[in-house]
Amino acid sequence: MAPLLNGYSNGVSRHLPEDPSIFEARFSDIPAQIDIPVTGLDAEEAVEVNLEELLDDSTELCQLLEQEGVGKHYWMVIALAYAKQAKVDHAIEILSKGLGTLNRGNPKEKLGPLSLTCWLYLWKSREAPRVVPDGQPAGETKLKDYYLQAATGSLNEASRINPAFPPLFLARGVLYLLRASLQPPSKATAPGAPDISDRLETLRQSIKCFEDALRVSSGRNMMAIMGRARAYFSLGKYAEALEGYQDVLTKVPHFQDPDPRIGVGCCLWQLGHKDEAREAWERALELNPDSKIANILLGLFYIHDSSHYATTDPAFGPIYKKAMTVYTQKAFKLDKELPLTCATFGSYFMMRKSWATVDSLARKAIELTDVNAVASDGWYLLARKEHYQDRPDLSRANDYYQKADLARGGGDKGYLPARFGLVQIQILQRDYDGAKFRLEKIIQQSKSIEAMMILGALYAEDVFRSQAGGIKEDKSAEVKKATTLLEAVRLAWKDPQKKLTPDSSVLVYLARLYETEHPDKALQCLQQVEQMTINDMPDKEPPDGVEADEAWMAKLREQLSPQLLNDIGCLQYHMEKYDQAREFFQTALSACVKAGEKDEGIDTDALVTTISYNLARTYEAAGQLDEAKQVYEGLLARHDDYTDARTRLAYIALRQNPQEDGPKAMQALYETDSSNLEVRSLFGWFLSKSKRRAANIAEDQEQRHYKHTLQHYDKHDRYSLTGMGNLYLTTAREMRRDTDQDKDKRRKTYEKAVEFYDKALQLDPRNAYAAQGIAIALVEDRKDLTAAVQLFSKIRDTVKDPSVYINLGHVFAELKQYSRSIESYEAALAHNRASDPQILACLGRVWLLKGKLDKSPSAMKTSLSYSQRALAIAPSQIHFQFNIAFVQIQLAQLLYTLPESQRTLEDVIKASEGLEEAIDSFGEIAQSKNPPYPRHDIEQRANMGRNTMRRQLERAIQSQREYEEKNAAKLAEARELREAEIRRREEERRRVAEQQEEERRKIREERDKMAQASRELAEKRTEEEKRREEAEYTTDSAGERVKRSKRKKAAAAKRKKRGGEDNNSGSETEVGDDAEGAKKSSSRRRKKARSTEPNSAIDDSDGEGAAAAAPKGKKKRKRLATRKGGGKESTFKSQELVVDSDSDDDAAAPPPAATQTTNGGGDTVMRDADEDEDDEEEEDEGVRKPQPLSSRNRNARRIEDDDEDEDEEDEEEQQPSAKTTAEQHAEEESGVVASSFADNPHGDPVDESVGAAGDAGAKEVVGPADQL
């Protein structure tokens, strides 16, 4: 609803008196004393009763009134006097006795006392508690409901006497309002279902009663309007309620008790106009500084305003202090029993943990309020008090939270903070499922950020418990829900309107959730926590002269939590960023020292031990084995039983000296702690690298070790199970396949390996090594390449080990997907295996296969390059030498078979040279001790190259030389033609670019000229306007600028105008100034000048002599225009088109007032501006004003004639009202523009600045127009 515009909107009135004391207060009509007539005494004698000092015991006074049989007026006045002193019980007692004495008279005499009794009961209901106070018996306390029932009885008795008694309507409406306040709010119903709650029906009844009160009072009962507005407010119809409160202020601007401005502010608050609500309450406080309601509402406004800032924000303190000390405290001093003030102050004392004060204030708010929302706040304070104590009573807190929620309707309409408190109680009671369900309902209704935080944390904790307990249940759905909720919270922090403060716990949860699948995202979360912590440091800025570089950041990080720095370092370690990880671990060690200095209760030894071990592992991964060894030895010096450090030292010894010190260290470690599964796993790996292969797997030393571990230590040891699978897989790969029996035995061995891998996967579904073993078995045993690719692809996403990429390369090579196979092998090289000759040999093999398939010499050259690199790394491996020779043979065969157009002479010669090298290599390999193939086969291949292939290559060289010599001339000619074509195209592109640039330059120049013309035209227009104003204004005797005065003509002459004759047509155009043929006065002969050519400039003026001879008086010029070839009257009176005459008249000097331009078709356009001249100061010069040009080719001219002298009567009848210069100028502008549009066949306005410069048909303007 729009605010009123009559001065009383939003409770603000500019017409209210500054002194509010003129308003009548409650009980102001009660006299100070009353005279009670006494029977038997003189008529003038009576008993005087002082109504300002009434006795507490009214028995004697009531007996006097009963004995004297006074009328109802005396009873009611005395009762009101007691009520004025807040002795409502005495007032009700007096009225009850008065009603007893009135029973003997006319029943209608009882209507007034009964109505007053009803109002007093309603008053008592407002002050009575709504629930039994804590610690009092239920039967001794009269609640609100008791007084409402008593008021209902009085109202019903009065209604039986006269149901149409006007005061009863208002009383009944208020009764319904108070009754509705005790009824619970309606609960949520299904969408579209009608709300049939008792409270809703009661409020509707109250509205009907208030409307009846308005009807009987002809709309003058302001209290009825206020009551109806209050009922609308309770129904949530805030716009209708606002209209009612504003209606009261419109009709009675000085209305204050009750103040409708309070209602206006409350409605505006609910409608979202909080600043306007504050203005209404401030106006109410201005009129009544002791208004407790206005004070507490303004306090709540500033409390709400302070909630937009964090408690650490400097802006928070002043706003909150103003809310509590200026307004809330004053409201509490005015009335310590006001429920809203008690609830507000209760929240303040809650922060100070003054539990007794909180309990007292909360119970007052619950017991004394008529508003369900205030009662809800009271219950919520009690719940928080029980919840936040050191030993909370969770059952009582849960009960109070439920009451707070039900007081506002419960269900979907309940109190969100109370429901949030119920969630916290459920979490403390470990009812996680119930808490999740309630939080999901809250999020569906309100999108609460706090609810999303807790629900995300609950799902995350569920995932973490499952991981810690080794539960096999799939928790991917919980991970997704937790991540989605926490990321939504994180996104909400970026909204500046919400002003949310980031919570580091959300980022820590996200980091733990991302740790396994997305370590990069986890690292980002922890880095954000790090930056937030640094931003909160008081001394985060470097001192003067110190730059904020990495050294300064490292110094700041030393003040952070060591755990946070350690976590960041671990994530960087897993992302193989070893240098950054090392820096964070070192900083974490320094942070441990500072943390121990600040808090001696921190177990810094455990932190230092863990971080030091991580630092050593980083050194080890980076290849700095000596530094890692030094850290491990330092750990053992402090904790000699640290098995992990001893294990890593043994492994380093194996890597540095695998022949002597390594095995000794490994044997010593195994003897010291053979029961440790980590030690047994490392020892099994050592056996796999150093053992001798046994013909029977049962005799294998590594197999016995794993079997012993599974039987005696842990049958679910995943490393031993995977190791057993590897043993059976290797054994099956080397088994014979000659007979069916051998094949069946080999197949069973593969199945045995798969059984071990499958058992390991059951224990750990993320065991990528076991999954890789199954994939290898599928390829080698069943040739199921498709399933193997799927398995290896999944393993690749989990394990960043080169072996996965090598296996993928093998499978893709078998599937003849050579490009993907090459990608896999190269990915394996990139994982610190660049010098692995086996991977290089595999790449050489795949490039060879790709070259044979594509018949590509370049691919075979690449294969040869990889084979040579493998041999360079391992020169003792004879099979690498065989690979090189084999590739050279294959390259020679390919080049021999290719046509001449697909090879070059240089390639064939190099292939011949490579063939000779291959022949020599095959001879050496055949004479070696352990050739990779039978000697006979190798020698045969060498003989084939020496005999057959050598002659083939010789012929290929000869034919290739002849082909290239023959085609050399053709190639040179084609090359020249191609180069010439390229030069021609380049020249064409350059020429086109130059033309385009020239066109753009011309356009820029034209635009500059047009802009310059426009600027000059604008300057001239400004000058013309200035001259026009100088002509219209003069300076009076006082030196002030005033408009020139006009004098009326003395003679009663009429205007008469005659046009010239056209020599060519002989026609004469005569135009009068009046269509009715009014009397004409003597006229002046005008001189006309015309050009001898159609495009010449034509001027029309009166000449200086005529101007001097003209009588002094008012002059007026009108524009007459006559269109060539027609006599149609123009739309404007002062303008017609005049046909250009061919006759030669006397040429007169062009008057200064004439202005001419040329249009696009070469026509000349003239006009003379209308202006009034002063009698004392005649001016013949007009003001030139250029006008828009016409677009039609007509030889037309616009001329302006001066009026003849007019008599006084004609001037009074016909002369229009005086106009300002701007108005006259606007009329002239509109007239000319309209004519120009009429001449424009397209209906578009013509730009003046383009008319002369941009039109192709425009001609240069001559004559006076050159002055433009």
Side-chain angles (χ1 to χ4, degrees), residues 722-738:
T722 306
M724 291 288 285
N726 291 338
L727 281 172
Y728 279 99
L729 185 67
T730 305
T731 303
R733 184 183 299 124
E734 296 175 356
M735 292 179 69
R736 299 174 60 89
R737 288 166 275 183
D738 297 337

Side-chain angles (χ1 to χ4, degrees), residues 677-844:
L677 291 178
E678 294 293 332
V679 174
R680 296 189 68 86
S681 298
L682 180 61
F683 191 74
W685 173 83
F686 166 69
L687 292 176
S688 68
K689 299 296 181 182
S690 60
K691 71 177 181 178
R692 294 182 180 180
R693 295 190 179 276
N696 187 1
I697 191 173
E699 299 176 357
D700 190 271
Q701 188 177 3
E702 182 185 3
Q703 189 265 353
R704 290 180 178 179
H705 174 75
Y706 290 141
K707 186 175 181 180
H708 187 265
T709 301
L710 293 172
Q711 289 178 346
H712 298 91
Y713 293 97
D714 185 4
K715 65 179 180 179
H716 298 304
D717 182 37
R718 291 167 290 178
Y719 187 87
S720 297
L721 290 171
T722 306
M724 291 288 285
N726 291 338
L727 281 172
Y728 279 99
L729 185 67
T730 305
T731 303
R733 184 183 299 124
E734 296 175 356
M735 292 179 69
R736 299 174 60 89
R737 288 166 275 183
D738 297 337
T739 62
D740 294 339
Q741 185 178 2
D742 293 338
K743 293 178 181 179
D744 184 65
K745 186 177 180 181
R746 182 172 181 268
R747 179 182 56 79
K748 290 182 179 179
T749 307
Y750 273 119
E751 292 176 354
K752 189 72 171 178
V754 171
E755 288 179 5
F756 282 108
Y757 289 138
D758 184 64
K759 184 65 178 296
L761 284 173
Q762 290 178 9
L763 296 171
D764 182 12
R766 304 180 64 84
N767 191 334
Y769 298 100
Q772 186 173 208
I774 293 178
I776 295 173
L778 287 174
V779 174
E780 295 180 355
D781 182 31
R782 301 181 183 180
K783 306 298 181 182
D784 191 352
L785 301 177
T786 304
V789 168
Q790 295 177 357
L791 280 174
F792 283 129
S793 299
K794 292 181 179 179
I795 297 167
R796 177 188 58 191
D797 298 335
T798 304
V799 178
K800 306 299 181 182
D801 191 81
S803 62
V804 182
Y805 294 96
I806 294 172
N807 291 327
L808 270 174
H810 294 339
V811 177
F812 284 132
E814 293 295 329
L815 291 171
K816 297 184 179 181
Q817 298 180 14
Y818 300 125
S819 298
R820 300 183 68 180
S821 176
I822 291 169
E823 291 177 1
S824 299
Y825 287 137
E826 290 179 346
L829 282 178
H831 283 71
N832 296 328
R833 301 287 290 273
S835 59
D836 191 329
Q838 296 295 336
I839 301 177
L840 294 172
C842 291
L843 276 168

Side-chain angles (χ1 to χ4, degrees), residues 931-1148:
Y933 293 98
R935 290 186 175 86
H936 177 73
D937 294 344
I938 298 174
E939 291 175 352
Q940 278 189 345
R941 189 172 292 275
N943 292 331
M944 182 184 67
R946 187 179 298 110
N947 299 325
T948 307
M949 293 186 65
R950 180 181 291 171
R951 290 192 296 271
Q952 290 175 345
L953 281 177
E954 289 176 354
R955 290 194 295 269
I957 291 172
Q958 182 64 27
S959 63
Q960 187 69 26
R961 181 178 288 109
E962 294 176 355
Y963 172 80
E964 291 185 0
E965 291 175 354
K966 181 179 180 180
N967 291 281
K970 294 181 180 180
L971 291 173
E973 182 180 358
R975 188 179 301 106
E976 290 179 359
L977 291 175
R978 182 179 181 184
E979 292 175 354
E981 178 66 18
I982 292 174
R983 287 195 298 272
R984 186 189 65 79
R985 291 179 181 178
E986 289 293 335
E987 181 66 23
E988 180 68 19
R989 282 196 293 269
R990 186 186 61 78
R991 185 181 61 80
V992 171
E994 290 177 353
Q995 290 179 354
Q996 293 176 349
E997 181 61 27
E998 181 65 21
E999 291 177 358
R1000 286 194 291 269
R1001 185 188 64 78
K1002 291 180 179 179
I1003 292 173
R1004 286 196 299 269
E1005 291 179 355
E1006 290 179 0
R1007 288 177 178 174
D1008 293 341
K1009 291 179 181 179
M1010 292 162 60
Q1012 181 64 24
S1014 298
R1015 287 193 294 270
E1016 293 176 356
L1017 191 57
E1019 292 174 358
K1020 287 181 172 56
R1021 284 185 176 179
T1022 303
E1023 183 65 26
E1024 290 171 3
E1025 182 66 23
K1026 183 177 179 182
R1027 290 169 54 192
R1028 183 185 296 276
E1029 291 181 0
E1030 290 176 354
E1032 291 181 356
Y1033 286 85
T1034 185
T1035 306
D1036 59 2
S1037 59
E1040 297 180 355
R1041 296 281 291 177
V1042 297
K1043 194 170 184 179
R1044 297 182 186 273
S1045 61
K1046 301 177 182 178
R1047 293 185 180 180
K1048 298 183 178 179
K1049 304 295 187 294
K1054 294 185 178 180
R1055 293 180 299 173
K1056 184 177 181 181
K1057 298 181 181 180
R1058 289 186 301 177
E1061 295 180 359
D1062 193 338
N1063 293 335
N1064 293 335
S1065 62
S1067 62
E1068 181 177 348
T1069 303
E1070 183 172 299
V1071 182
D1073 65 343
D1074 197 339
E1076 298 179 359
K1079 292 182 180 182
K1080 301 179 180 178
S1081 62
S1082 59
S1083 61
R1084 292 187 302 173
R1085 175 75 62 182
R1086 281 205 186 111
K1087 294 182 180 180
K1088 297 191 295 180
R1090 64 180 178 83
S1091 175
T1092 58
E1093 294 179 3
N1095 295 330
S1096 63
I1098 300 176
D1099 298 339
D1100 187 9
S1101 68
D1102 285 337
E1104 295 181 1
K1112 289 185 178 180
K1114 180 181 177 183
K1115 288 186 180 181
K1116 183 178 181 182
R1117 292 191 179 124
K1118 296 185 68 179
R1119 293 175 304 199
L1120 296 179
T1122 303
R1123 224 172 246 187
K1124 181 177 180 180
K1128 184 177 179 181
E1129 190 175 11
S1130 174
T1131 306
F1132 302 92
K1133 289 182 179 181
S1134 61
Q1135 178 176 313
E1136 294 181 2
L1137 293 177
V1138 179
V1139 178
D1140 199 4
S1141 176
D1142 294 337
S1143 61
D1144 296 328
D1145 291 342
D1146 295 335

Side-chain angles (χ1 to χ4, degrees), residues 21-34:
S21 62
I22 66 172
F23 303 121
E24 294 184 357
R26 294 186 184 183
F27 304 108
S28 60
D29 56 346
I30 303 300
Q33 60 271 344
I34 188 173

Side-chain angles (χ1 to χ4, degrees), residues 294-310:
N295 274 289
I296 187 57
L297 289 176
L298 283 171
L300 290 174
F301 170 83
Y302 286 106
I303 290 175
H304 177 268
D305 192 23
S306 67
S307 66
H308 295 153
Y309 304 92

Side-chain angles (χ1 to χ4, degrees), residues 224-256:
I225 299 177
M226 293 275 289
R228 184 178 61 181
R230 178 66 179 85
Y232 279 134
F233 187 90
S234 299
L235 286 172
K237 299 180 179 180
Y238 306 116
E240 291 85 345
L242 177 61
E243 185 178 359
Y245 290 123
Q246 289 178 330
D247 187 23
V248 174
L249 285 174
T250 303
K251 295 177 179 178
V252 187
H254 310 302
F255 202 88
Q256 287 191 31

